[in-house]
């Protein structure tokens, strides 16, 4: 993450001396979790619970641009967590929990007097914990893995007051496809543990508040 931080900030460094810096901080509440998989077990009993509670906090800064007085750019660091997403196949359950810490480059454009849009692109240290339980044997295991993965996002914001924005946003982390849910996958212990080491894609949709200092 240190290398990613330097790579993001070095191109912006010359701008600090010539542009006003506009810091901000925010909090988000919504739904999110691992991306829903295409299930190929048509002949097996299967159930899925996804899109659970998610929350996050972020802080960043914007710099004025010479391109247009409606355009700003900068950087942001954020923390996002999501609650358990549960999948069950033939009495074997998989509980996915996770969080990510992301470093993003951001670009903001003022659409109208009170409305703006912000796009985000960067990297996320993505941590995933999978609880595997075989109910018929009452056996359980937990597998924890992490990867640095690309993350994108977009926010639509309404400027409620001089300093406070109300926003709606979505973001996505590009992770691995979960092979456990594909036809031909081994549902034995070795196969389950191997497939659970893949860090899944994560999507989040949220409402938030952002304070502009």
């Amino acid at each position: 993450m240190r290398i990613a931080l330097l790579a993001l900030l070095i191109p912006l460094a010359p701008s600090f001396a010539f542009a006003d810096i506009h810091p901000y901080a925010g909090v988000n509440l919504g739904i999110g979790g691992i991306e829903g998989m295409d299930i190929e077990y048509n002949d097996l009993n299967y159930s899925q619970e996804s899109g659970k509670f998610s929350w996050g906090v972020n802080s960043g800064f914007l710099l004025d641009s010479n391109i247009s007085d409606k355009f700003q750019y900068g950087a942001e660091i954020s923390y996002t967590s999501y609650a358990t997403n549960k999948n069950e196949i033939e009495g074997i359950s998989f509980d996915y929990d996770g969080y990510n810490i992301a470093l993003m480059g951001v670009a903001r454009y003022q659409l109208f007097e009170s409305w703006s849009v912000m796009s985000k692109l960067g990297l996320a240290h993505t941590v995933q914990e999978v609880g595997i339980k075989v109910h018929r044997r009452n056996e359980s295991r937990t597998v924890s893995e992490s990867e640095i993965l690309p993350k994108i996002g977009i926010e639509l914001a309404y400027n409620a007051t001089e300093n406070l924005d109300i926003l709606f946003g979505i973001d996505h982390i590009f992770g691995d496809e979960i092979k456990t849910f594909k036809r031909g996958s081994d549902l034995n212990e070795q196969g389950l543990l191997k497939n659970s080491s893949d860090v899944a894609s994560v999507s989040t949709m949220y409402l938030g508040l952002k304070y502009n200092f």
Side-chain angles (χ1 to χ4, degrees):
M1 289 296 286
R2 292 181 180 178
I3 295 176
L5 178 61
L6 290 174
L8 183 62
L9 294 182
I10 287 175
L12 298 176
S15 303
F16 290 115
F18 304 103
D20 292 333
I21 300 176
H22 306 280
Y24 64 85
V27 59
N28 308 314
L29 299 175
I31 58 175
I34 63 171
E35 188 175 88
M37 284 74 67
D38 294 329
I39 307 303
E40 298 181 354
Y41 291 109
N42 296 328
D43 55 341
L44 298 181
N45 294 322
Y46 175 79
S47 64
Q48 182 182 57
E49 298 177 17
S50 60
K52 295 299 186 79
F53 176 70
S54 174
W55 66 275
V57 292
N58 59 70
S59 180
F61 64 87
L62 292 168
L63 303 173
D64 295 329
S65 168
N66 293 327
I67 299 175
S68 169
D69 58 1
K70 293 185 176 182
F71 178 74
Q72 295 175 308
Y73 62 98
E76 175 183 294
I77 187 169
S78 64
Y79 173 90
T80 305
S81 176
Y82 64 89
T84 298
N85 284 213
K86 184 174 182 179
N87 301 269
E88 185 170 330
I89 301 174
E90 289 292 306
I92 306 172
S93 62
F94 306 84
D95 295 345
Y96 288 82
D97 294 272
Y99 68 89
N100 66 84
I101 300 173
L103 183 63
M104 314 275 279
V106 299
R108 178 182 179 273
Y109 187 78
Q110 192 73 32
L111 296 172
F112 309 106
E113 181 178 358
S114 298
W115 292 91
S116 64
V117 63
M118 179 184 287
S119 60
K120 305 180 181 185
L121 174 64
L123 296 172
H125 176 66
T126 307
V127 178
Q128 175 181 282
E129 184 175 282
V130 186
I132 305 170
K133 185 173 183 179
V134 182
H135 295 278
R136 62 180 176 271
R137 298 201 304 264
N138 197 28
E139 297 177 356
S140 60
R141 293 285 298 272
T142 299
V143 180
S144 297
E145 293 290 341
S146 65
E147 288 187 31
I148 295 178
L149 300 170
K151 181 176 182 178
I152 62 172
I154 189 167
E155 288 180 351
L156 180 65
Y158 174 73
N159 186 218
T161 70
E162 181 178 355
N163 299 103
L164 186 66
D165 290 347
I166 301 172
L167 53 88
F168 168 77
I170 56 176
D171 57 42
H172 181 77
I173 295 174
F174 295 90
D176 300 320
E177 183 179 42
I178 305 301
K179 301 181 184 64
T180 300
F181 304 99
K182 293 297 181 182
R183 188 182 303 278
S185 296
D186 294 327
L187 293 180
N188 55 41
E189 183 176 357
Q190 184 178 359
L192 294 176
L193 293 176
K194 179 181 178 181
N195 292 339
S196 296
S197 65
D198 295 327
V199 180
S201 298
V202 179
S203 296
T204 307
M205 180 171 60
Y206 57 85
L207 295 173
L209 295 175
K210 181 173 71 176
Y211 187 83
N212 304 294
F213 295 94

